[in-house]
């Protein structure tokens, strides 16, 4: 897989990146740091598919230090890369709360705002609380459903309480 990650074909590189997860590294006896370094280099690949697969696999390592390399991809020109970058930040549980909060409150695509909202719940409960009310009480059912999903990351016991979405 490591050799395939360096292949000339974008499809081979994307497939290799998809395979290079924490589980694969552990099972194969590869050093996690080495695989994470390789995946970090995949974040600057010219092909968006390779960047997306690298982000997804990097998230499986749950290494907060990798957040710094992921943050610039929130502004990637390929529309699906920022969505995966936002989701990956939630997996890494490192930095990025400020950037995610801006996306949640901004005028970006619903998919990106949703991924940012869910990740914000995972990495910064205070920043999440500042934007949660607008989603929980929105007239848009998609935002309310996402708010309900986000609460699972924060406090599953709250789901038994009187959250607005329980009466939706």
């Amino acid at each position: 897989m490591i050799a395939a990650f360096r292949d000339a074909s974008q499809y081979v590189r994307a497939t290799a990146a998809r395979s290079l997860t924490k589980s694969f590294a552990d099972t194969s006896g590869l050093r996690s740091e080495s695989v994470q370094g390789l995946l970090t280099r995949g974040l600057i690949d010219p092909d968006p598919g390779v960047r997306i697969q690298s982000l997804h696999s990097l998230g499986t390592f749950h290494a907060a230090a990798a957040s710094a390399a992921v943050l610039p991809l929130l502004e990637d020109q390929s529309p699906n890369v920022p969505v995966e970058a936002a989701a990956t930040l939630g997996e890494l549980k490192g930095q990025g709360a400020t950037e995610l909060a801006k996306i949640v409150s901004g005028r970006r695509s619903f998919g990106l705002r949703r991924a940012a909202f869910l990740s914000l719940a995972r990495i910064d409960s205070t920043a999440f609380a500042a934007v949660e009310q607008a989603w929980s009480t929105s007239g848009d059912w998609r935002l309310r459903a996402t708010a309900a999903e986000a609460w699972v990351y924060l406090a599953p016991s709250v789901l038994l309480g009187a959250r607005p979405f329980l009466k939706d």
Side-chain angles (χ1 to χ4, degrees):
M1 284 301 136
I2 291 174
F5 195 76
R6 295 182 177 107
D7 195 89
S9 168
Q10 64 198 36
Y11 304 112
V12 173
R13 290 193 315 275
T15 301
R18 184 178 189 162
S19 300
L20 291 171
T21 62
K22 171 85 167 113
S23 175
F24 179 86
D26 291 346
T27 303
S28 302
L30 299 171
R31 289 185 52 235
S32 289
E33 297 80 17
S34 298
V35 177
Q36 288 176 56
L38 189 63
L39 291 168
T40 300
R41 286 193 296 280
L43 300 181
I44 59 169
D45 192 279
D47 182 69
V50 175
R51 293 194 303 273
I52 289 168
Q53 296 303 333
S54 295
L55 283 163
H56 183 76
S57 291
L58 189 60
T60 66
F61 288 87
H62 305 289
S67 298
V70 173
L71 283 170
L73 293 166
L74 290 172
E75 300 303 325
D76 195 279
Q77 295 305 303
S78 178
N80 293 324
V81 174
V83 175
E84 189 62 39
T88 299
L89 287 170
E91 291 293 324
L92 297 174
K93 296 183 182 168
Q95 55 184 294
T98 301
E99 293 82 354
L100 292 172
K102 287 178 186 174
I103 290 170
V104 167
S105 300
R107 293 203 169 281
R108 306 280 294 267
S109 72
F110 171 71
L112 177 55
R113 290 175 44 234
R114 179 184 182 279
F117 185 78
L118 293 172
S119 288
L120 191 59
R122 297 180 84 179
I123 65 175
D124 189 335
S125 59
T126 303
F128 171 77
V131 296
E132 181 273 334
Q133 186 69 25
W135 283 58
S136 289
T137 60
S138 172
D140 184 341
W141 69 268
R142 299 173 306 163
L143 273 66
R144 294 191 314 272
T146 303
E149 184 179 352
W151 274 100
V152 173
Y153 295 125
L154 282 169
S157 61
V158 174
L159 294 175
L160 302 176
R163 298 302 310 160
F165 49 80
L166 291 177
K167 297 175 184 153
D168 196 315

